[in-house]
Amino acid sequence: MVLPIDINNIFSVNESSFDDLCNTVFQFQYQYNPVYHQWVDLIDSLPSERKIPQKIPALPISFFKEQQVKTGNWQEQKIFESSGTTGMVTSRHYVANLAIYEQAFLEGFERQYGSIQNWCVLALLPAYLERENSSLVYMANKMIAMSGHSESGFYLYNYAELANKLAALESQGQPTLLLGVTFALLDFAAQFPMQLTHTVVMETGGMKGRGRELTRPELHQTLTDRLSLPAIHAEYGMTELFSQAYSKSGGRYYCPPWMKVFVRKEDDPLALLTEGTGLIQIIDLANIYSCSFIATQDIGKLYADGSFEVLGRMDHADIRGCSLLVL
């Protein structure tokens, strides 16, 4: 099996070439992904017909719990697993090529924040560090290495050490990224309130049932007050995808060019909107060896410019460690 496109074409895609690339990837995945092929045949009577992106069938994210969602026949380099409560069936993302994942998250980050080498990267991900197959931990670990900064590193529950490190970096005027799971950021800020000027605090979600669930505005207000910051940044990604969207304030996320979000009506999964509120549906062209067209269980608000907010989870959806904020 040969890819129908050069991988670099995905990361250089623009608005004018996006539709053509979507159709190429769709036909490739329809042909070589048995799980996706069966799903498309159930809901699309004309799979060979050229489609606008919002008409391309999206695979329900729940399929990753029971099936191997793979385009082609290959031996995986890695299996990423989602978080969840004890006893839950978690999603499994079989990864054919880790280099593509690394290119996706690096280029996605650098489009928003500049070269990773300008940053000292600190990762406060205690619950995730205890899971060896977390895609978030893999991403953070690579970003720490890619930064090349001697002070970059992971933190578990050693909050005092983290506070001292941040104070030292602040005194040097060093741009610092503190990437943290929600409950740990709240605990840290409660125990060590401080004034941060050169640090970006980026929450990744993840209350995991710890304490009272906060709305995102409540969470961000609490953190900005305790850390004297003008805004809290956020990252939106998931085990089943390769790419991330970023918010620099207010929980409004922006995608890289190879990733696009739509929303679909809860009572009509085939009715997609390019603006408004509904269930989030994602195209992630970097997910070439898995499935690039995913129907999530997140409720979102989509804006005309393609940015979006995450408003919560649909009723009866499985609890995921990265999505326990209620808006």
Side-chain angles (χ1 to χ4, degrees), residues 7-286:
I7 286 297
N8 290 321
N9 290 349
I10 291 174
F11 298 110
S12 61
V13 70
N14 55 39
E15 196 64 33
S16 63
S17 60
F18 188 85
D19 289 15
D20 284 343
L21 196 56
C22 273
N23 276 274
T24 300
V25 171
F26 166 64
Q27 291 299 332
F28 171 66
Q29 294 183 339
Y30 175 69
Q31 181 177 357
Y32 291 108
N33 187 323
V35 173
Y36 187 51
H37 187 105
Q38 292 178 46
W39 175 251
V40 171
D41 282 350
L42 285 173
I43 64 173
D44 188 343
S45 60
L46 296 169
S48 61
E49 184 181 68
R50 178 180 170 81
K51 306 175 192 300
I52 59 174
Q54 57 264 43
K55 293 294 184 181
I56 294 176
L59 187 72
I61 202 167
S62 57
F63 277 59
F64 284 82
K65 294 176 188 254
E66 305 293 343
Q67 306 287 335
Q68 291 191 22
V69 183
K70 299 169 69 173
T71 298
N73 184 19
W74 36 262
Q75 181 63 42
E76 62 273 6
Q77 292 184 356
K78 182 80 173 173
I79 302 175
F80 291 135
E81 293 186 59
S82 66
S83 58
T85 57
T86 303
M88 280 180 52
V89 178
T90 55
S91 290
R92 292 163 67 87
H93 185 165
Y94 294 80
V95 178
N97 189 336
L98 284 166
I100 299 176
Y101 179 52
E102 293 170 12
Q103 186 173 358
F105 70 65
L106 179 63
E107 293 200 21
F109 175 84
E110 291 192 334
R111 280 177 172 269
Q112 295 283 347
Y113 295 96
S115 172
I116 189 67
Q117 295 183 356
N118 294 334
W119 294 86
C120 176
V121 180
L122 307 180
L124 182 60
L125 306 170
Y128 290 80
L129 277 174
E130 295 154 13
R131 296 173 32 238
E132 62 174 293
N133 292 322
S134 163
S135 58
L136 177 60
V137 169
Y138 185 94
M139 180 179 79
N141 187 52
K142 289 295 181 179
M143 289 175 69
I144 286 168
M146 291 170 176
S147 75
H149 197 287
S150 61
E151 302 301 324
S152 291
F154 280 103
Y155 289 82
L156 199 56
Y157 295 101
N158 44 338
Y159 296 156
E161 183 180 345
L162 174 58
N164 290 336
K165 182 65 65 182
L166 283 170
L169 292 167
E170 283 284 325
S171 69
Q172 300 165 19
Q174 168 63 47
T176 300
L177 172 68
L178 175 57
L179 182 70
V181 64
T182 302
F183 78 86
L185 286 174
L186 286 169
D187 288 348
F188 170 75
Q191 294 180 40
F192 295 95
M194 58 198 313
Q195 182 168 349
L196 298 177
T197 303
H198 305 286
T199 301
V200 166
V201 174
M202 181 180 292
E203 55 98 354
T204 66
M207 284 297 291
K208 296 184 71 67
R210 300 175 185 238
R212 181 177 74 85
E213 294 178 15
L214 301 175
T215 66
R216 179 161 273 113
E218 287 179 321
L219 164 66
H220 286 199
Q221 189 63 55
T222 299
L223 292 175
T224 54
D225 288 347
R226 292 174 177 172
L227 300 175
S228 300
L229 288 165
I232 299 297
H233 297 226
E235 176 259 358
Y236 179 83
M238 56 185 65
T239 301
E240 299 84 356
L241 300 177
F242 260 19
S243 302
Q244 300 77 34
Y246 290 99
S247 165
K248 292 188 174 182
S249 67
R252 187 161 166 175
Y253 295 93
Y254 291 83
C255 298
W258 58 88
M259 179 183 181
K260 187 167 285 191
V261 166
F262 301 102
V263 292
R264 66 191 190 279
K265 296 180 179 180
E266 288 190 58
D267 57 353
D268 185 357
L270 299 181
L272 261 68
L273 307 173
T274 54
E275 188 175 357
T277 300
L279 293 168
I280 292 175
Q281 190 159 301
I282 298 174
I283 296 175
D284 179 9
L285 296 178

Side-chain angles (χ1 to χ4, degrees), residues 61-62 65 88 279 296-299 312-320 323-324:
I61 202 167
S62 57
K65 294 176 188 254
M88 280 180 52
L279 293 168
T296 79
Q297 296 172 324
D298 291 337
I299 299 171
R313 301 281 286 165
M314 66 181 289
D315 290 343
H316 312 302
D318 290 335
I319 293 173
R320 294 161 67 97
S323 58
L324 288 182

